[in-house]
Amino acid sequence: MSPSEPDYVRLNRAHWTKVNAEYTDANAESAWNEQEITWGTWNTPETEVGVLPDVRGKDVVELGCGTAYVAAWLKRRGARRVVGVDITPAQLDTARRLDKKQGLGLELVEANAEATGLPDSAFDLAISEYGASIWCDPYKWIPEAARLLRSGGDLVFLRNSTLAVLCTPNEGKVGDRLLRPQRGLHRLDWTDPSEVDFQVGHGDLVRIMRGAGFELLDLVEIYAPDDAVQHPYYGEYMTPEWARKWPSEEMWRARKR
Ligand SMILES: C[S@@+](CC[C@H](N)C(=O)[O-])C[C@H]1O[C@@H](n2cnc3c(N)ncnc32)[C@H](O)[C@@H]1O
């Protein structure tokens, strides 16, 4: 741990080290091997959401790559170079084992996605699927993504919906009551398990993106389909009943000016 590392990076690394020990390589590999790109709790197909640019021949960075299945999907779709950044060595070890087995040639870097140390203007796409998009401070990671992108490059990310976060109790499932104010919404400290994530409202997020030099291209709110069933992992807090009425997640797409 570097002396300048924020406290939440340490807490979240410990949390993800534990999650990694429970989530086997076989689970990670089955995500790597998915043929269709899908997003979030309800495996909503990219063909429906439509947020990904054509990655053929492009340089991609995944911020908070975890076991790097999104990175693997994009490399298999023809990205030239895919760099995955994560703070948790155990997650990167899983990604490295799978990369070695599948021979994709991903580059996996241990770093805080808020300050990666990677060079300026080196990528055409910065992507985050429940990575930096929720675990990092948006006032830091979005400017960092802008720094890493070339002019005209895309930023694509998946996060929880603000409404879901406002209706989530400290423990237990999301309900139909507003439980926390949106005013001042930013850092969320959860005690069980001990982890920290971040959420800001839409107005703040648009301002952060514009301030970092992005033009907003799309915001897709994701609902559960009629036949959705409880998710084995995210089901601990999000139910299909809730997400048929309100968006559980959001996908954002922006372009660096
Ligand atoms: C839900 S996983 C990401 C899922 C990912 N799309 C995959 O393919 O596995 C969240 C990841 O974010 C990482 N993370 C949390 N805080 C981070 C930070 N400050 N910088 C980089 N990665 C971070 C965690 O270590 C964890 O591996």
Side-chain angles (χ1 to χ4, degrees):
M1 172 184 153
S2 91
S4 58
E5 186 172 270
D7 65 325
Y8 51 85
V9 171
R10 181 179 45 79
L11 284 167
N12 290 339
R13 183 185 295 113
H15 170 67
W16 280 100
T17 302
K18 205 159 140 256
V19 174
N20 180 272
E22 290 154 11
Y23 184 79
T24 61
D25 277 21
N27 282 322
E29 189 164 17
S30 81
W32 269 56
N33 289 339
E34 287 295 340
Q35 293 306 305
E36 186 177 22
I37 293 185
T38 64
W39 303 117
T41 308
W42 319 111
N43 295 323
T44 311
E46 163 59 17
T47 48
E48 246 176 63
V49 181
V51 285
L52 268 188
D54 183 355
V55 294
R56 283 173 296 178
K58 299 286 174 60
D59 297 329
V60 177
V61 62
E62 184 181 2
L63 297 169
C65 67
T67 57
Y69 53 82
V70 172
W73 295 345
L74 299 180
K75 190 74 171 62
R76 280 207 305 266
R77 274 161 183 79
R80 191 178 77 90
R81 176 179 184 219
V82 182
V83 178
V85 174
D86 204 282
I87 50 159
T88 306
Q91 293 278 81
L92 291 168
D93 286 348
T94 301
R96 287 195 185 103
R97 280 195 294 275
L98 292 172
D99 186 55
K100 193 165 174 214
K101 190 164 170 192
Q102 301 209 1
L104 287 184
L106 302 182
E107 295 167 51
L108 296 157
V109 175
E110 186 183 332
N112 179 358
E114 297 168 344
T116 59
L118 294 169
D120 292 357
S121 308
F123 298 95
D124 306 296
L125 170 65
I127 190 160
S128 181
E129 185 234 25
Y130 276 136
S133 53
I134 70 166
W135 301 99
C136 291
D137 185 340
Y139 290 93
K140 295 181 183 170
W141 83 266
I142 289 178
E144 175 67 356
R147 186 186 70 75
L148 295 174
L149 285 169
R150 300 180 177 120
S151 174
D154 284 299
L155 171 67
V156 171
F157 63 93
L158 172 70
R159 66 170 203 163
N160 297 306
S161 74
T162 295
L163 191 56
V165 171
L166 296 179
C167 294
T168 302
N170 282 331
E171 280 179 47
K173 291 192 199 313
V174 64
D176 61 1
R177 295 280 184 280
L178 294 167
L179 297 174
R180 58 187 85 239
Q182 179 169 331
R183 190 174 191 178
L185 187 66
H186 182 215
R187 172 176 168 150
L188 294 151
D189 283 74
W190 306 95
T191 45
D192 185 25
S194 190
E195 59 189 57
V196 179
D197 58 41
F198 292 87
Q199 184 82 16
V200 293
H202 291 167
D204 287 342
L205 190 50
V206 168
R207 285 184 150 220
I208 294 170
M209 287 199 281
R210 289 180 57 78
F214 287 108
E215 176 196 352
L216 179 62
L217 298 184
D218 210 353
L219 162 58
V220 184
E221 293 174 308
I222 300 194
Y223 294 85
D226 290 342
D227 59 355
V229 290
Q230 191 85 350
H231 190 278
Y233 180 65
Y234 297 113
E236 272 178 40
Y237 96 101
M238 176 54 67
T239 64
E241 295 72 33
W242 196 94
R244 284 191 198 104
K245 290 187 253 177
W246 299 290
S248 51
E249 291 148 307
E250 303 168 348
M251 288 221 70
W252 292 71
R253 181 177 180 198
R255 179 156 298 150
K256 186 176 168 187
R257 288 192 287 267

